[in-house]
Amino acid sequence: MSIKPANAKPEEPLSKERLRLWLKLLKASNLVEEEIRRRLRARHASTLPRFDVMSALSRAPEGLKMSEISKLLRVSNGNITGIVDKLTEEGFALRVSVPGDRRAHQVCLTERGKSAFAELAAAHESWIDEILGGLDLDDVLGMIQRLDHLTTSLGDH
Amino acid sequence: MSIKPANAKPEEPLSKERLRLWLKLLKASNLVEEEIRRRLRARHASTLPRFDVMSALSRAPEGLKMSEISKLLRVSNGNITGIVDKLTEEGFALRVSVPGDRRAHQVCLTERGKSAFAELAAAHESWIDEILGGLDLDDVLGMIQRLDHLTTSLGDH
DNA sequence: TATTTTTATTTCAAGCTTGAAATTTCATGC
DNA sequence: GCATGAAATTTCAAGCTTGAAATAAAAATA
């Protein structure tokens, strides 16, 4: 929390600067995201949502319940249903029934899913390294620090 | 462009940090964006795409062609068709035929569209000011500078 | 002029996303 | 046991988005 001294300048410019920051943040984020989507589609016939779900699953060898996935990725339940359907059709994921609960399913990556994701993840990391290649360590650490500050302050909402 | 000295340390940690930066950037951006979408829907029965198109139109009193809008917003032509259709149904925008060219249309805000946008824009600006309220001027200017650096380096792609 | 190419836009299918409603199952309290 | 409410998931309608194909009109060229 920043303290506003009694003799502060009018706040107006700060609010304009915040707006300017948001527009730039959105633009940068969208530029990178679009490039990643484009490459996933063109080079791997995949999509970002599918990648995100596989990424979550790859970190949970014993699988995740639908609701756990949607909580992790901060998206709706119905959304995950559709994406897991797709991954299942493609042979990358599997719904396994949970012993004690006939409502729930654990979703796991198949062997094929695991190896496909390993490939995707490696490509993804190298794309990011390439796309953000113009940033040196100082830029990167500086932005990470500011973003942590931002995310913390967003968490209060 | 950063020069890599002959005796540089292995690049691996930098690439990991770039990936970390990207994940944080995406997360922060999505958090803010979701909040804006939520408020546009709940408080103004509107959406971010509609707001973006109105915003572009509001800066062009003489109107914009469909293709100009899609270029400005960096989205597909077909997308703009649908959004302008919506705005037209809602009475916020108007397609005006271009004298010399029967293919093209100028899209303009109606008076109702202008006043609706003025209200939306004011709300939007105050939301951003509130949501980014945890950032002081130093944070804001620091991030803007880093983001400019990033966007410039992205432009090379 | 007639043909070809380019430009402006729309249409379309496929996919993602949400929030709300519907289902099914589980857990709790009576 | 039985009813009630909570939880896990799916279904659904509406909207956004894209890239590709279709239209239509203008411009360029032969």
Side-chain angles (χ1 to χ4, degrees):
Chain A
M1 292 299 128
S2 67
I3 308 296
K4 179 165 65 166
N7 63 347
K9 290 275 172 56
E11 285 270 323
E12 201 254 1
L14 178 49
S15 98
K16 292 286 182 200
E17 290 303 309
R18 286 196 180 116
L19 182 56
R20 217 158 68 83
L21 167 58
W22 164 237
L23 295 177
K24 282 174 190 283
L25 185 65
L26 183 59
K27 185 175 180 182
S29 174
N30 282 345
L31 280 173
V32 177
E33 192 172 337
E34 276 161 29
E35 184 62 25
I36 297 296
R37 286 182 194 274
R38 198 170 5 255
R39 294 186 185 192
L40 278 173
R41 183 177 344 104
R43 304 185 191 178
H44 297 271
S46 191
T47 68
L48 199 47
R50 284 191 318 237
F51 177 77
D52 289 340
V53 168
M54 290 177 88
S55 175
L57 290 177
S58 80
R59 257 167 276 180
E62 73 294 348
L64 291 171
K65 288 194 296 180
M66 300 297 282
S67 50
E68 290 175 326
I69 300 175
S70 65
K71 213 161 296 170
L72 277 171
L73 302 188
R74 309 172 43 80
V75 298
S76 67
N77 275 344
N79 188 355
I80 295 300
T81 297
I83 296 169
V84 169
D85 283 351
K86 281 284 168 193
L87 288 177
T88 303
E89 285 169 24
E90 296 169 338
F92 291 153
L94 219 52
R95 279 179 172 89
V96 181
S97 47
V98 173
D101 190 338
R102 265 179 303 175
R103 295 170 303 179
H105 292 272
Q106 292 286 122
V107 184
C108 303
L109 288 182
T110 61
E111 283 312 311
R112 188 162 159 238
K114 285 178 198 169
S115 76
F117 176 72
E119 195 180 325
L120 281 181
H124 179 259
E125 184 172 335
S126 77
W127 295 342
I128 296 298
D129 196 43
E130 171 196 341
I131 292 168
L132 301 190
L135 301 181
D136 59 25
L137 192 58
D138 179 63
D139 283 325
V140 172
L141 296 182
M143 287 205 62
I144 285 179
Q145 191 182 335
R146 305 270 190 198
L147 281 171
D148 279 340
H149 196 167
L150 171 55
T151 307
T152 302
S153 109
L154 287 176
D156 302 347
H157 279 271
Chain B
M1 290 296 127
S2 66
I3 309 295
K4 179 164 67 166
N7 63 347
K9 289 277 174 52
E11 286 270 325
E12 201 255 3
L14 178 51
S15 98
K16 292 287 181 199
E17 290 303 308
R18 287 195 179 117
L19 181 56
R20 216 156 70 84
L21 168 59
W22 165 237
L23 296 178
K24 281 173 190 284
L25 184 67
L26 184 59
K27 186 175 179 182
S29 175
N30 282 345
L31 281 174
V32 177
E33 191 172 338
E34 276 162 30
E35 185 61 25
I36 297 297
R37 285 182 194 274
R38 196 166 10 252
R39 293 186 186 194
L40 279 173
R41 184 178 343 107
R43 305 183 189 179
H44 297 270
S46 192
T47 67
L48 199 47
R50 251 115 88 175
F51 177 78
D52 289 339
V53 168
M54 291 176 88
S55 175
L57 291 177
S58 80
R59 258 168 275 181
E62 73 294 350
L64 291 171
K65 290 194 296 181
M66 300 297 283
S67 50
E68 291 175 326
I69 302 175
S70 65
K71 214 162 296 173
L72 277 172
L73 302 188
R74 309 173 43 78
V75 299
S76 67
N77 275 345
N79 189 355
I80 295 300
T81 297
I83 295 169
V84 170
D85 283 351
K86 281 283 168 195
L87 288 177
T88 303
E89 286 169 24
E90 295 169 339
F92 292 152
L94 219 52
R95 279 180 173 89
V96 181
S97 48
V98 173
D101 190 338
R102 267 180 300 175
R103 294 169 303 179
H105 292 273
Q106 291 286 123
V107 184
C108 302
L109 288 182
T110 61
E111 285 310 312
R112 186 158 162 242
K114 284 178 197 167
S115 75
F117 176 71
E119 195 179 324
L120 280 181
H124 179 260
E125 184 172 334
S126 77
W127 295 343
I128 295 299
D129 196 42
E130 173 196 338
I131 293 169
L132 301 190
L135 300 183
D136 60 25
L137 191 59
D138 179 62
D139 283 325
V140 172
L141 296 182
M143 285 204 63
I144 285 179
Q145 191 183 335
R146 305 271 190 196
L147 281 170
D148 280 339
H149 195 166
L150 171 55
T151 307
T152 303
S153 109
L154 287 177
D156 303 345
H157 278 273

